[in-house]
Amino acid sequence: MGDIHEGPRKRIATAHLAQHIGQPVCFVGRLEKIHPNGKLFVLSDGEGKHTTVELSEPLDEEISGVIEVVGRVTNQATIMCMSYVQFREDKSPFDLELYNEAIKIIHEFHEYFPFG
Amino acid sequence: GGYTQSPGGFGSPAGTQAEKKQRTRSQNIVPCTVSQLLAAEQVDESFRIRDVEISQVTIVGIVRHAEKAPTNILYKVDDMTAAPMDVRQWVDTDEAGGENVVVPPGTYVKVAGHLRSFQNKKSLVAFKIMPLENMNEFTTHILEIVNAHVVLRRNLMEASRGPQAFPSTGVGGYGGVCSLPLNGLTAHQSQVLNLIKNCPVPEGMSLQELKAQLHSMSMSTIKQAVEFLSSEGHIYSTVDDDHYKSTDAE
């Protein structure tokens, strides 16, 4: 399995997980909870819908706020995380609802925002 | 700085009028995805994305890699649409410190620069690299990309129709042999588009309202027209799939 960072990772919201099983995706959501074992956390998207993110190794740092996850959608419609980044909100809060709307637009106008 | 726009490297005498005109036309800065830049076709000294000419572009992505050399900093910037793109920023060797501080990997940045291709590999030469302080700019950039490319493409399509076509709706003669309806909309599509364009309500026009106004058209004809107009970028759905606004509206 090659490094998925070398190819397209489609930006999706929770509602799109089922249509992207097995595919590399990029998911942005707000941290809701972390499993005590540190290998699983739950993010909510701009519509408030939850997505489960799994890690191969437990988290080695505290995470909070808005997280952008890159990974592959599993058969259970969770995301197997390859990497993640925390969005800075020190100067301004991130408008997750607006981001969700933008996702819908880039899906609808996919010829003007191609992945790959 | 180390980079200027002079055409000194071309070796040909001062450009002809046509060449100068072409250079002026691509003076806009166009927000793009890395995937669009990689797919851009090179025509002589310029690039085209689906026939739209581009030169100066902006991308927003995360720095994956940063390498400092004596005269330049090489970044790899990733916006998830393809592999990370090489972005080179020339360092002013005269200036002591200050100006060119290396942006650390893991930072989201907005890059403004020129698209380049060397040995079939695309890269950007950046004249500005700005770490994002407000991540909502990243969302805005996504929206600006779609808007810019829809508008640029539409302007191109309207320009290609030629003088015999009506400017706004495109109902007119077909200029040439072409399998796509590039040169205009059908009468039905134009009528639907005009009604949607003139609708002042924020949520746009609903399919039911269109049916009420277009007595001669069946709902399926209206739906087909709406689907075509939407895929061409003339309209977009708002509150739900039954409501549409024109991309032209103020």
Side-chain angles (χ1 to χ4, degrees), chain A residues 5-9 11 68 70 85 87-88 91-95 99 105-106 108-109 111-116, chain B residues 33 35-36 62 64 78 80-84 108 132-136 138-139 142 145 149 230-231 236-237:
Chain A
H5 297 88
E6 291 303 308
R9 290 134 285 161
R11 289 188 177 278
E68 180 179 69
V70 163
V85 149
F87 275 12
R88 62 183 293 185
K91 299 247 164 84
S92 316
F94 182 69
D95 189 338
Y99 175 77
I105 286 173
I106 67 177
E108 185 172 341
F109 291 90
E111 62 272 40
Y112 300 97
F113 199 98
F115 281 95
Chain B
T33 63
S35 53
Q36 284 167 333
I62 189 166
R64 292 288 186 202
D78 183 5
M80 313 296 172
T81 62
Y108 252 96
L132 292 189
E133 296 200 332
N134 182 339
M135 283 304 291
N136 294 305
F138 143 78
T139 309
I142 288 173
I145 290 172
H149 288 262
S230 175
S231 69
Y236 61 96
S237 60

Side-chain angles (χ1 to χ4, degrees), chain B residues 118-170:
Chain B
F118 181 66
Q119 294 179 344
N120 257 334
K121 192 175 154 93
K122 298 254 183 38
S123 65
L124 282 185
V125 172
F127 48 80
K128 194 129 175 113
I129 298 186
M130 302 159 283
L132 292 189
E133 296 200 332
N134 182 339
M135 283 304 291
N136 294 305
E137 277 187 58
F138 143 78
T139 309
T140 308
H141 184 79
I142 288 173
L143 296 168
E144 283 174 353
I145 290 172
V146 175
N147 185 59
H149 288 262
V150 165
V151 168
L152 285 171
R153 178 146 182 86
R154 196 142 43 86
N155 291 344
L156 196 73
M157 293 299 108
E158 285 179 357
S160 76
R161 275 187 209 119
Q164 76 275 19
F166 295 143
S168 60
T169 64

Side-chain angles (χ1 to χ4, degrees), chain A residues 13-16 27-29 44-50 96-101 103-104:
Chain A
T14 302
H16 310 126
F27 183 93
V28 177
S44 60
D45 70 7
E47 285 180 341
K49 298 184 187 147
H50 290 190
L96 197 53
E97 278 145 28
L98 180 66
Y99 175 77
N100 242 74
E101 291 303 306
I103 293 292
K104 289 184 192 163

Side-chain angles (χ1 to χ4, degrees), chain A:
Chain A
M1 195 164 99
D3 183 1
I4 69 174
H5 297 88
E6 291 303 308
R9 290 134 285 161
K10 192 166 171 192
R11 289 188 177 278
I12 62 164
T14 302
H16 310 126
L17 285 169
Q19 293 111 31
H20 293 83
I21 307 256
Q23 293 181 34
V25 297
C26 176
F27 183 93
V28 177
R30 198 168 287 280
L31 185 67
E32 293 295 329
K33 57 176 181 269
I34 307 178
H35 191 281
N37 68 13
K39 288 178 72 172
L40 193 147
F41 56 88
V42 176
L43 301 176
S44 60
D45 70 7
E47 285 180 341
K49 298 184 187 147
H50 290 190
T51 286
T52 300
V53 178
E54 298 179 69
L55 300 158
S56 47
E57 295 298 324
L59 283 165
D60 60 0
E61 59 172 350
E62 288 262 6
I63 57 171
S64 65
V66 176
I67 317 276
E68 180 179 69
V69 168
V70 163
R72 208 174 278 275
V73 183
T74 67
N75 290 336
Q76 294 77 41
T78 65
I79 298 178
M80 189 65 206
C81 174
M82 297 289 144
S83 72
Y84 68 83
V85 149
Q86 298 184 68
F87 275 12
R88 62 183 293 185
E89 288 189 285
D90 54 323
K91 299 247 164 84
S92 316
F94 182 69
D95 189 338
L96 197 53
E97 278 145 28
L98 180 66
Y99 175 77
N100 242 74
E101 291 303 306
I103 293 292
K104 289 184 192 163
I105 286 173
I106 67 177
H107 288 188
E108 185 172 341
F109 291 90
H110 54 87
E111 62 272 40
Y112 300 97
F113 199 98
F115 281 95

